[in-house]
């Protein structure tokens, strides 16, 4: 879902770059208060892992592939603020080192994946976690559903950008239908990878998983 | 429970393996957005990436003809690069006593 240069007009690119910058600023503030010396390395590893898995396009339908976005995964592992930052770092690396995604569209791509992907995935995760029994085994299930939903949400977010300022003139409804349809299929892959990864980290280091420990730990008093 | 060292080294090695080895087997079909753009027709509005000449453009290493090595090297560089950038960034962000100056 990396947008190439040219799809969106200049104004739209500028608007979404501004929105992304604001979102990243808020995420910085949130991450600063949430991350500590113990959790910061996991945020770094999450960015690394997402970069690696984003290279692994899987086939979803004839002539179409998809790859992990990782917004929900990152949010569940390290919290939504650090997740937005991790995804933003991945997108920056991809745009500058690998020419994956246009530079003028980077703000719009960041908005779709690092902000909408993260928060839609995390919000869904929280909702499902609430419904499911309060057990460790519920976490990967909620994570998978969060991952699944995050992809069509990011696709809808792109469609909004298309509606605001595409350089092409094809109808927005056509784009919406095609984007959502395709990305529901990709979302299944996203859900599977998200659920499996969260369950692997839970099995090896459940103390590090943000989406599990903030469900179980009581508030503790810490020195500032 | 794995200790910290094992967990982080394990995670890093898995990432290296995925980006350096498994990436060769990734599907080369267009991704969702690209396919939709092709099918509907707005792919024509895409401009060539201003950054297209970069050394690792499109996850291939310039000058390396072997496809497996070309994508593998690009992946390994990406993993190490992301580790350095994200590692430093999150370390600075997590530093408590003083705010990082912008």
């Amino acid at each position: 879902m990396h947008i190439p240069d040219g799809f969106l007009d200049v104004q739209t690119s500028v608007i979404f770059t501004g929105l992304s910058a604001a979102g990243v600023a808020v995420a910085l503030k949130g991450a600063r208060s949430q991350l500590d010396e113990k959790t910061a390395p996991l945020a770094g590893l999450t960015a690394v892992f997402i970069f690696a898995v984003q290279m692994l396009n899987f086939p979803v339908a004839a002539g179409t592939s998809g790859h992990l976005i990782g917004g929900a995964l990152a949010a569940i592992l390290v919290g939504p603020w650090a997740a937005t930052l991790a995804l933003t770092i991945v997108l920056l690396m991809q745009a500058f080192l690998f020419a994956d995604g246009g530079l003028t569209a980077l703000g719009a791509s960041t908005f779709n994946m690092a902000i909408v992907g993260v928060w839609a995935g995390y919000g869904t995760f929280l909702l499902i976690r609430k419904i499911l029994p309060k057990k460790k085994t519920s976490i990967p299930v909620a994570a998978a559903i969060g991952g699944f939903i995050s992809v069509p949400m990011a696709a809808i977010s792109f469609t909004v950008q298309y509606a605001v300022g595409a350089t092409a003139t094809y109808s927005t409804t056509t784009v919406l239908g095609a984007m959502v349809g395709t990305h529901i299929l990709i979302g299944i892959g996203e859900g599977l990878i998200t659920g499996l990864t969260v369950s692997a980290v839970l099995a090896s280091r459940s103390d590090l998983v943000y989406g599990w420990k903030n469900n179980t730990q009581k508030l503790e008093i810490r020195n500032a | 429970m794995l200790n910290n060292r094992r967990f982080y080294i394990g995670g890093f090695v898995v990432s290296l393996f995925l980006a350096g080895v498994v990436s060769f087997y990734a599907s080369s079909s267009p991704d969702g957005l690209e396919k939709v753009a092709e099918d509907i027709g707005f792919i024509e509005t895409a401009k060539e990436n201003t950054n297209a000449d970069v050394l690792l453009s499109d996850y291939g290493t310039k000058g390396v003809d072997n496809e497996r090595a070309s994508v593998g090297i690009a992946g390994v560089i990406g993993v190490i690069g992301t580790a350095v950038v994200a590692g430093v960034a999150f370390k600075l962000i997590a530093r408590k006593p003083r705010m990082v100056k912008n």
Side-chain angles (χ1 to χ4, degrees), chain A residues 70-88:
Chain A
L73 173 63
I76 292 150
L77 291 179
V78 298
W81 301 282
T84 290
L85 301 179
L87 265 288
T88 304

Side-chain angles (χ1 to χ4, degrees), chain B residues 22-85:
Chain B
V22 182
S23 58
F24 176 72
Y25 301 96
S27 165
S28 53
S29 296
D31 76 357
L33 172 60
E34 210 182 331
K35 184 67 166 50
V36 167
E38 281 175 10
D39 289 349
I40 294 177
F42 64 91
I43 193 77
E44 283 161 25
T45 63
K47 288 188 194 140
E48 202 190 357
N49 198 304
T50 37
N51 208 17
D53 286 333
V54 78
L55 184 71
L56 302 171
S57 184
D58 208 18
Y59 302 93
T61 311
K62 276 228 173 94
V64 178
D65 291 335
N66 181 299
E67 248 181 78
R68 196 183 284 269
S70 180
V71 63
I73 293 168
V76 167
I77 294 175
V79 162
I80 294 172
T82 308
V84 171
V85 172

Side-chain angles (χ1 to χ4, degrees), chain A residues 34-35 39 42-43 46 73-83 86 208 210-211:
Chain A
Q34 181 236 315
L35 287 180
T39 48
L42 184 62
T46 299
L73 173 63
I76 292 150
L77 291 179
V78 298
W81 301 282
L208 292 175
Y210 181 88

Side-chain angles (χ1 to χ4, degrees), chain A residues 129-192:
Chain A
R129 191 183 71 177
K130 213 170 200 172
I131 300 167
L132 293 176
K134 285 208 181 311
K135 285 191 307 190
K136 207 176 183 179
T137 46
S138 298
I139 300 297
V141 177
I145 298 171
F148 168 66
I149 296 293
S150 71
V151 181
M153 291 306 280
I156 290 171
S157 177
F158 168 77
T159 312
V160 171
Q161 294 164 345
Y162 181 93
V164 172
T167 46
T169 50
Y170 302 97
S171 98
T172 300
T173 16
T174 315
V175 174
L176 180 67
M179 280 301 283
V180 172
T182 309
H183 287 88
I184 282 175
L185 295 177
I186 298 173
I188 296 171
E190 177 97 16
L192 286 173

Side-chain angles (χ1 to χ4, degrees), chain B residues 7-30:
Chain B
F7 176 77
Y8 286 111
I9 291 176
F12 187 72
V13 169
V14 167
S15 303
L16 274 179
F17 178 73
L18 293 176
V21 180
V22 182
S23 58
F24 176 72
Y25 301 96
S27 165
S28 53
S29 296

